[in-house]
Each structure stands twice: as structure tokens, then as C-alpha cells.
Amino acid sequence: MPRSHRANHEVHHVATDLARWSGEHVQRLAEAARDRGLDLDDSAAAPSGALSSLRRKAAKALGRRPEPGLLLLRDLRELHLDAAENSLHWQMLAQVAQATGNEALLALASDCHPQTLRQMRWTNSMIKNLSPQILSSL
């Protein structure tokens, strides 16, 4: 199997897992907010545009033109930056939970943050692996 096929297959399946995790995180955060009398915007529960776009671009990455590869790298970069931002949010939530003695919020952050860190490691690895091939083909 050509390398690009393996990469596309991995991107599709991992992106599906990441989308599922992100959806679960949104649901858990919404439940925690409801417990505190807050109502989060329903649009936050919609699937991530970056993940949906990543899946579409990965399917196009098998073509011969370099543009789909560049789009895939852009989407991976955006996903990585989104995950890095979410990682900071989990850290802040954990800090406030510790400061206020809120065990439920601390457990939420402790459960979800490792998955966010895994998202960052995966996107970073994919960018490192795909960048040389895609960028040298320009």
C-alpha cells in the first residue's frame, strides 16, 4: 500500500476518534455547567469544523496535485492549535477546581485533558511525517 494511502486511512480513523472525544468533552462540560445553573450554547455541541474539514481534505490528499496535501497540512495545523488552546483551558479548569476544592470539576479536567494532549501529539506527529513529502513536491 502506498504511503499516502496509509496516511489517509490513519487520518480518517483517528480524526473520527478525535471528533468523538471532543463531542464527549462538550457533553461533559455542558453537564457540569448545568449543575452550576449555566446553559451553554447548543452550537458548541456541533461537530468541530476543523475535524470535518480534516476528514474531507484527507480524502482528497490521494490526488496528484500538491494543493490537497497543503490543505491537509493546514487542517492538521489548525487542529493542533485548537487542541493546544483546549489544553490550556483544561489546565485552567483544573487549577480553579483545585483552588476551590471542586472535586467534580477536577475529575472532569483530569479525565479529559489527557485525550487533548494525545490529540496534540498525534497532530504534531502527522505534521512531522507529512510535511517533508508534501512540501518537497511543490
Side-chain angles (χ1 to χ4, degrees), residues 21-92:
W21 291 351
S22 296
E24 291 169 3
H25 294 178
V26 167
Q27 289 174 351
R28 292 183 67 186
L29 283 168
E31 290 169 10
R34 262 194 308 279
D35 292 346
R36 286 151 189 82
L38 301 172
D39 183 23
L40 299 182
D41 182 13
D42 286 341
S43 66
S48 168
L51 287 173
S52 297
S53 179
L54 179 61
R55 284 187 290 236
R56 283 193 310 276
K57 301 305 187 235
K60 292 180 184 178
L62 297 175
R64 294 193 175 147
R65 295 176 37 194
E67 293 86 356
L70 291 175
L71 293 173
L72 176 59
L73 283 178
R74 183 201 64 198
D75 289 342
L76 286 166
R77 178 187 58 85
E78 289 176 3
L79 185 59
H80 184 81
L81 293 173
D82 288 344
E85 183 178 18
N86 287 338
S87 176
L88 290 172
H89 293 154
W90 289 123
Q91 289 175 359
M92 291 186 302

Side-chain angles (χ1 to χ4, degrees), residues 84-120:
E85 183 178 18
N86 287 338
S87 176
L88 290 172
H89 293 154
W90 289 123
Q91 289 175 359
M92 291 186 302
L93 184 63
Q95 291 300 312
V96 73
Q98 284 180 333
T100 61
N102 189 323
E103 295 297 322
L105 283 181
L106 184 57
L108 174 62
S110 296
D111 288 346
C112 295
H113 192 212
Q115 290 178 327
T116 301
L117 294 173
R118 182 170 177 223
Q119 291 174 358
M120 290 174 60

Side-chain angles (χ1 to χ4, degrees), residues 7-23:
N8 182 43
H9 181 74
E10 179 183 357
V11 168
H12 172 75
H13 288 287
V14 175
T16 300
D17 289 342
L18 299 182
R20 182 177 40 81
W21 291 351
S22 296

